[in-house]
């Protein structure tokens, strides 16, 4: 895992530029996208680049990591709503080629089909990730098997609490979600994890100091050959490099 400590503005610039370069140099490309506050700056830069004709998304497809069970596209806290409003509605991507796990609790078969679909579309070229304060990636909570594929998850108390800032009250936060698994994420050809702020410093410290273990889902990334972790100063402040 490569670590880069930069300002948030620099990270948004570098990551969006890498995505734009990939799109401009490929006849077709598949992006793995994340929600949460962290990737918003990158999405803003992608929209700006589209508006100034630096990039076209006509040959881009995307797969999102996760979705809350029971929040459909009309709910402004659903991840479909988030993606449409923060990115897809502002660029020329074919909306029918933007895939997000269903908000309905369906069958094992459905979950398997999500992984199969990613594979059938050639796999994810660049996967963008945030990280939860407890080290989760997508909605893979501590204890999730490193062999997991897309599945239904029960959210931990700490995740419900972290994410309650987007809802009117904590009682409105769904307790379950459908998430790509850790193995699904590891199949991406390139992975970029972004961490901003003090709330992530402990997760980032553990990521660099602990051996890979299932209590720290993000630690699976240690065995991926092409990962960059971008942190701002606050998120990296417990790392020894800052000592
Ligand atoms: C949610 C999402 C994750 C995201 C995390 C961090 O739990 N499922 O994909 O990484 O939140 O969110 P934020 O970027 O808002 O800190």
């Amino acid at each position: 895992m490569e670590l880069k400590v930069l300002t948030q503005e620099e990270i948004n610039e570098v990551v969006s530029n890498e995505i734009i370069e990939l799109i401009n140099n490929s006849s077709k490309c598949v992006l793995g996208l994340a929600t949460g506050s962290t990737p918003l700056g990158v999405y803003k830069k992608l929209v700006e680049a589209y508006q100034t004709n630096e990039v076209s998304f006509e040959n881009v497809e995307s797969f999102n990591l996760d979705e809350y069970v029971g929040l459909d596209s009309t709910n402004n806290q659903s991840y479909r709503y988030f993606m449409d409003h923060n990115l897809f509605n502002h660029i020329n991507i074919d909306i029918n080629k933007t895939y997000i796990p269903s908000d309905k609790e369906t069958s094992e078969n459905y979950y398997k089909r999500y992984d199969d679909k990613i594979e059938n579309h050639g796999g994810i070229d660049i996967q963008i990730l945030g990280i939860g304060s407890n080290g989760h990636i997508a909605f893979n909570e501590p204890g999730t098997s490193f062999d997991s594929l897309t599945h239904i998850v029960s959210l931990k108390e700490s995740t419900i609490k972290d994410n309650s800032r987007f809802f009117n009250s904590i009682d409105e936060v769904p307790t379950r979600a459908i998430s790509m698994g850790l193995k699904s994420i590891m199949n991406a050809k390139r992975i970029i994890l972004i961490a901003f702020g003090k709330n992530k410093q402990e997760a980032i410290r553990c990521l660099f100091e602990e051996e890979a273990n299932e209590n720290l889902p993000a630690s699976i990334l240690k065995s991926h050959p092409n990962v960059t972790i971008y942190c701002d100063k606050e998120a990296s402040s417990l790392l020894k490099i800052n000592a």
Side-chain angles (χ1 to χ4, degrees):
M1 290 187 313
E2 175 191 36
L3 169 68
K4 297 222 161 142
V5 180
L6 299 169
T7 66
Q8 293 192 10
E9 181 56 25
E10 286 166 341
I11 293 170
N12 294 336
E13 184 79 23
V14 173
V15 173
S16 56
N17 282 345
E18 180 173 337
I19 295 171
I20 291 165
E21 213 166 285
L22 172 79
I23 296 172
N24 287 341
N25 291 317
S26 345
S27 50
K28 171 191 159 300
C29 111
V30 180
L31 300 179
L33 300 175
T35 51
S37 49
T38 308
L40 279 174
V42 171
Y43 296 159
K44 196 160 167 263
K45 294 252 178 231
L46 293 178
V47 170
E48 283 166 11
Y50 168 68
Q51 287 168 343
T52 50
N53 293 323
E54 286 163 62
V55 66
S56 165
F57 291 82
E58 58 186 335
N59 296 321
V60 175
E61 299 178 344
S62 69
F63 285 87
N64 261 77
L65 290 166
D66 44 16
E67 179 61 282
Y68 287 116
V69 169
L71 300 194
D72 69 16
S73 58
T74 61
N75 188 307
N76 64 9
Q77 290 309 328
S78 73
Y79 286 168
R80 164 53 75 184
Y81 187 99
F82 175 102
M83 290 309 302
D84 286 352
H85 285 78
N86 290 302
L87 183 63
F88 300 149
N89 288 351
H90 310 290
I91 57 176
N92 66 335
I93 197 165
D94 179 347
I95 202 77
N96 297 312
K97 294 184 178 161
T98 63
Y99 305 102
I100 298 185
S102 161
D103 65 291
K104 314 270 178 299
E105 184 184 350
T106 53
S107 59
E108 282 303 318
N109 237 345
Y110 168 81
Y111 306 138
K112 186 171 179 320
R113 279 206 307 276
Y114 197 72
D115 287 297
D116 290 346
K117 198 187 268 180
I118 296 173
E119 200 182 322
N120 294 339
H121 286 242
I124 288 171
D125 294 301
I126 294 188
Q127 176 67 59
I128 303 296
L129 292 178
I131 185 168
S133 61
N134 64 2
H136 74 244
I137 49 176
F139 267 133
N140 295 288
E141 296 283 28
T144 305
S145 165
F146 278 176
D147 285 328
S148 53
L149 294 170
T150 300
H151 61 302
I152 188 151
V153 298
S154 293
L155 303 179
K156 297 270 190 213
E157 217 40 62
S158 60
T159 301
I160 292 174
K161 194 161 162 266
D162 283 351
N163 290 0
S164 66
R165 66 189 197 278
F166 299 114
F167 292 80
N168 294 325
S169 88
I170 195 160
D171 302 331
E172 286 181 18
V173 187
T175 54
R176 291 182 310 153
I178 295 166
S179 177
M180 273 167 64
L182 293 168
K183 195 169 174 192
S184 327
I185 292 170
M186 287 292 277
N187 287 334
K189 292 162 202 155
R190 161 115 174 102
I191 298 178
I192 293 175
L193 184 148
I194 308 174
F196 290 154
K198 223 170 156 237
N199 196 33
K200 306 297 170 68
Q201 60 185 200
E202 184 59 20
I204 293 298
R205 185 190 66 75
C206 294
L207 179 58
F208 282 93
E209 290 183 3
E210 288 180 14
E211 298 284 310
N213 73 88
E214 290 182 350
N215 286 324
L216 185 68
S219 66
I220 194 173
L221 301 178
K222 287 172 183 285
S223 54
H224 191 284
N226 192 359
V227 178
T228 304
I229 313 285
Y230 286 99
C231 293
D232 67 2
K233 214 163 181 284
E234 289 74 29
S236 71
S237 60
L238 297 181
L239 293 177
K240 292 213 174 70
I241 53 158
N242 286 309

